[in-house]
Amino acid sequence: MHDTTILVVDDEPDICQLLQDILEDEGYQVVTAANGAEARRQWREVRPDLVLLDIWMPDVDGVTLLKEWMEADDNPGPVVMMSGHGTVETAVEATRLGAFDYLEKPLSMGKILATVERALESARSRRQPASPAETEYVEPVGKSAVMTQLRDQVKRLAQYDTRVLLVGEPGTGKETFARYLHHHSLRREGPFVAVGVGTIAPEFSAVEFFGKEEGGAVHRGLLEQAHGGILFLDEVGDMDPETQLRLVSALESKTFLRVGGSEQVQVDVRVVASTRRNLEDEVKAGRFRKDLYYLLNEVVLTLPPLRQHSEDVPELLNFYVDRFVTREKLAFRRFPVAVQNFLRNYAWPGNVRELKNLVHRLLILGSGEEVELDEVKTALGEIVTREASDAPEFYDLPLKEARERFEKAYLEYHLEKHGGSVARLSQAIGMERTHLYRKLHSLGIKFKDKRG
């Protein structure tokens, strides 16, 4: 049995039944639709890998459906048009609009199967990720006891659909472990969709996560994009309250409504989340929903900071040197034992990410076959000095939290400067007073309005 689903759209029941019998005999999963309205519903709910679409139907013609689907942000798999009354012009138009092929009736079983196989193979070969990082798989590096145990735990968890919450400092490799889980799971052939929750503005989060329907066009959100695979919510503690509420409902029912939509969409998604925060404290403070917290933390894995498994530093150095030499054609440089020992005793506030960036910098800017201890100290000293003197403490935070901290500090400074007067503050910073009141309330800033 294939994992491939084919949607057959034809207003002639005999043809639908014939195609269903033929394709199911070949191991495909088949759903059918007798008209345009039913085809639209099946297309939204099933997300077929291939569509066999009749051109002439009583309510909506196939070319209109083809155009509508191809203009959607996330169009379906290939579409093969069928017609018993077609013309050369119709075939050319369908192909121009994006149809993979055009079959004339009466249908030949051999040609149907050959066309279906070619269309699916073409789709597989063309399917490229949005960016290399989305599919990049790297096994977590390290032979220490803690890393060996973590890899074993993740491989065991991968065999089940349990939700996993990865907890750790920034740079400890939470996304790397999420991809490792996906690679060893039964969903490895499905998508891995990673999203930095804090990078999505609250006003756009509903559309980003759940998609939208507008004017017949469909935009599929992150949940639908991850259908059959894993949705990785990086820094889930940064999620806005409204999206938290909708996500609870979607995870519990495995259904949701797109923004502007009226029909439930079903999804099969495994959620893996990460956080640098203590979510229990966030729940107590009212910033994170208790029900969502309990949904996400079926299993909690804590990723240790690099300073707690510093024996892995030499292996990590070798790994990143090889990686940059291979991928970016940088000149190979060796880290001698004295340098390795120095780096093993370094505190690594940025964890594995900081080590990776250090190696990259030394390969790009340094020279000589061996990395010198002095240049390592200089590189680390510049980083530490810059972080300590120039960069505010929130520079290492996700964008959403950094923005909130800046806005809060900025408004508190100017509010105090203007004696607690919201009216004067509004005039000073050029912000309309109604919006300013909302902003002050949202950031929890106490103020005393002296308008009177």
Side-chain angles (χ1 to χ4, degrees):
M1 174 68 73
H2 295 279
D3 291 327
T4 303
T5 300
I6 298 175
L7 170 60
V8 176
V9 184
D10 200 300
D11 63 337
E12 297 182 47
D14 290 344
I15 291 181
C16 275
Q17 189 63 56
L18 173 65
L19 288 172
Q20 184 169 15
D21 291 342
I22 291 171
L23 295 168
E24 286 182 346
D25 283 345
E26 293 296 313
Y28 298 104
Q29 300 177 39
V30 180
V31 292
T32 63
N35 52 56
E38 179 68 8
R40 281 191 176 115
R41 186 184 67 79
Q42 294 279 30
W43 185 83
R44 285 195 301 266
E45 296 179 1
V46 178
R47 289 173 300 278
D49 300 291
L50 170 70
V51 181
L52 295 175
L53 177 60
D54 188 29
I55 288 183
W56 305 111
M57 288 180 294
D59 55 347
V60 181
D61 67 272
V63 173
T64 298
L65 284 177
L66 173 67
K67 184 177 180 181
E68 180 178 305
W69 291 342
M70 289 299 165
E71 289 177 349
D73 289 352
D74 185 11
N75 59 35
V79 177
V80 175
M81 307 300 290
M82 307 181 295
S83 177
H85 313 283
T87 64
V88 173
E89 290 78 15
T90 305
V92 170
E93 174 68 3
T95 304
R96 185 185 67 79
L97 290 172
F100 177 80
D101 207 345
Y102 183 94
L103 295 176
E104 290 186 7
K105 298 176 182 178
L107 300 169
S108 159
M109 184 174 74
K111 189 168 184 180
I112 291 169
L113 294 178
T115 302
V116 165
E117 188 174 340
R118 283 192 302 107
L120 292 172
E121 181 58 35
S122 175
R124 282 191 290 268
S125 66
R126 291 197 326 267
R127 194 173 292 132
Q128 297 294 332
S131 68
E134 286 188 357
T135 57
E136 180 181 10
Y137 164 69
V138 177
E139 183 166 330
V141 176
K143 296 178 181 176
S144 62
V146 64
M147 290 298 287
T148 301
Q149 182 183 30
L150 269 173
R151 285 194 298 268
D152 289 342
Q153 288 176 329
V154 170
K155 281 194 284 189
R156 288 198 300 271
L157 284 170
Q159 306 311 306
Y160 307 93
D161 256 1
T162 310
R163 298 188 191 100
V164 179
L165 181 63
L166 301 169
V167 180
E169 296 178 5
T172 50
K174 295 187 285 291
E175 183 171 342
T176 299
F177 271 100
R179 292 183 184 276
Y180 185 67
L181 184 149
H182 174 256
H183 180 78
H184 288 279
S185 75
L186 302 178
R187 296 173 176 264
R188 67 178 68 89
E189 299 300 324
F192 179 93
V193 178
V195 55
V197 174
T199 66
I200 301 176
E203 58 266 31
F204 301 127
S205 61
V207 171
E208 287 292 323
F209 278 97
F210 305 102
K212 69 176 180 178
E213 296 180 25
E214 187 175 17
V218 175
H219 164 76
R220 286 179 165 77
L222 294 164
L223 279 168
E224 284 187 85
Q225 293 173 33
H227 178 71
I230 287 178
L231 175 62
F232 175 58
L233 302 175
D234 191 23
E235 295 301 346
V236 70
D238 295 334
M239 186 176 289
D240 64 280
E242 182 181 348
T243 305
Q244 289 182 36
L245 175 61
R246 296 186 64 162
L247 186 60
V248 167
S249 175
L251 293 181
E252 287 180 333
S253 66
K254 297 184 179 179
T255 63
F256 60 89
L257 288 174
R258 300 189 189 100
V259 175
S262 58
E263 295 188 27
Q264 293 286 340
V265 179
Q266 292 189 340
V267 287
D268 172 26
V269 174
R270 180 178 186 178
V271 173
V272 177
S274 78
T275 181
R276 71 191 180 283
R277 303 180 183 181
N278 185 324
L279 288 187
E280 288 189 13
D281 291 343
E282 296 295 299
V283 169
K284 291 175 183 176
R287 291 187 291 266
F288 200 79
R289 293 184 62 91
K290 182 186 294 186
D291 47 6
L292 180 56
Y293 171 64
Y294 287 124
L295 273 174
L296 295 177
N297 78 335
E298 289 183 327
V299 176
V300 177
L301 288 180
T302 301
L303 275 58
L306 181 55
R307 59 186 173 274
Q308 291 182 9
H309 59 108
S310 59
E311 62 267 40
D312 290 325
V313 166
E315 187 179 357
L316 284 163
L317 291 172
N318 290 333
F319 171 80
Y320 284 118
V321 168
D322 290 342
R323 190 181 190 195
F324 292 130
V325 167
T326 302
R327 294 192 175 191
E328 301 186 20
K329 309 303 180 186
L330 295 174
F332 175 83
R333 302 190 73 199
R334 189 172 68 86
F335 283 77
V337 173
V339 174
Q340 293 183 31
N341 287 336
F342 173 79
L343 293 176
R344 284 186 61 171
N345 292 304
Y346 178 65
W348 296 113
N351 294 295
V352 177
R353 185 184 299 136
E354 182 185 7
L355 183 147
K356 172 185 174 183
N357 293 340
L358 174 69
V359 172
H360 202 193
R361 175 183 179 134
L362 291 171
L363 293 186
I364 293 174
L365 299 179
S367 60
E369 293 183 0
E370 285 196 351
V371 176
E372 301 290 338
L373 182 57
D374 285 344
E375 66 177 308
V376 171
K377 289 181 178 180
T378 299
L380 290 174
E382 289 176 359
I383 294 170
V384 171
T385 301
R386 185 173 66 250
E387 288 180 348
S389 61
D390 298 336
E393 61 177 7
F394 50 75
Y395 267 33
D396 288 328
L397 298 175
L399 177 61
K400 179 175 180 291
E401 186 174 347
R403 183 173 60 234
E404 288 178 353
R405 288 206 184 182
F406 169 77
E407 288 179 343
K408 191 171 190 294
Y410 174 84
L411 291 173
E412 284 178 337
Y413 168 79
H414 283 283
L415 189 63
E416 182 176 350
K417 181 179 178 181
H418 293 285
S421 169
V422 176
R424 291 167 59 194
L425 173 63
S426 171
Q427 186 176 10
I429 67 173
M431 189 175 189
E432 198 273 327
R433 200 182 305 183
T434 302
H435 294 159
L436 180 57
Y437 276 117
R438 291 174 182 163
K439 177 63 71 175
L440 293 171
H441 281 297
S442 69
L443 294 173
I445 298 176
K446 297 181 179 179
F447 57 90
K448 180 174 62 175
D449 195 347
K450 296 183 177 180
R451 286 178 296 172

